[in-house]
């Protein structure tokens, strides 16, 4: 069920989880372990943050793709456009589309 459909259901309480992409491969493995365990709690969606200026751009897209595709969690990608040129924003949006992420904040 898409996020807007979940939010449109009256009387149903949702909760979300937010993740920040780690810098190391070990941190990524640890995050994926936690996402798998926390995903069992049934969040309405998960959000993945975006570093200022796109500092974590590739890792954000990687985590979004895993949350959406591997873990089956509706995913919101935070996209911070501050200090980013249009080309980088377009690349980020293309990456989200390729990952199946349709909800972008």
């Amino acid at each position: 069920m898409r996020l807007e459909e979940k939010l449109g259901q009256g009387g149903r309480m949702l909760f979300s989880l937010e993740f920040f992409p780690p810098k190391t491969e070990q941190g990524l493995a640890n995050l994926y372990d936690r996402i798998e365990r926390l995903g069992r709690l049934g969040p309405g969606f998960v959000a993945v943050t975006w570093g200022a200026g796109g500092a974590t751009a590739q890792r954000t897209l990687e985590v979004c793709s895993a949350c959406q595709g591997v873990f089956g969690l509706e995913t919101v990608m935070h996209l911070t456009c501050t200090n980013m040129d249009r080309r980088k924003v377009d690349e980020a949006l293309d990456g989200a589309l390729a990952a199946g992420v349709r909800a972008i904040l």
Side-chain angles (χ1 to χ4, degrees):
M1 180 181 299
R2 293 176 53 114
L3 181 56
E4 61 268 15
E5 294 167 342
K6 290 179 182 181
L7 294 174
Q9 292 179 336
R12 181 171 175 237
M13 183 178 285
L14 297 176
F15 70 93
S16 65
L17 303 169
E18 184 169 1
F19 303 111
F20 186 83
K23 294 179 181 178
T24 66
E25 291 302 314
Q26 181 61 50
L28 185 63
N30 290 340
L31 177 61
Y32 286 161
D33 180 59
R34 284 171 179 76
I35 291 171
E36 181 177 22
R37 286 186 284 139
L38 290 168
R40 292 185 208 136
L41 298 173
F45 63 94
V46 298
V48 182
T49 60
W50 184 274
T56 62
Q58 191 56 43
R59 193 53 63 96
T60 296
L61 288 169
E62 184 179 347
V63 173
C64 284
S65 180
C67 286
Q68 188 79 32
V70 175
F71 300 109
L73 300 168
E74 185 68 35
T75 304
V76 175
M77 183 178 79
H78 287 207
L79 178 59
T80 304
C81 299
T82 304
N83 297 324
M84 287 180 54
D85 62 40
R86 184 181 176 114
R87 180 185 54 80
K88 286 189 175 185
V89 173
D90 288 344
E91 287 173 3
L93 293 172
D94 289 342
L97 181 65
V101 175
R102 302 294 182 265
I104 298 173
L105 174 66

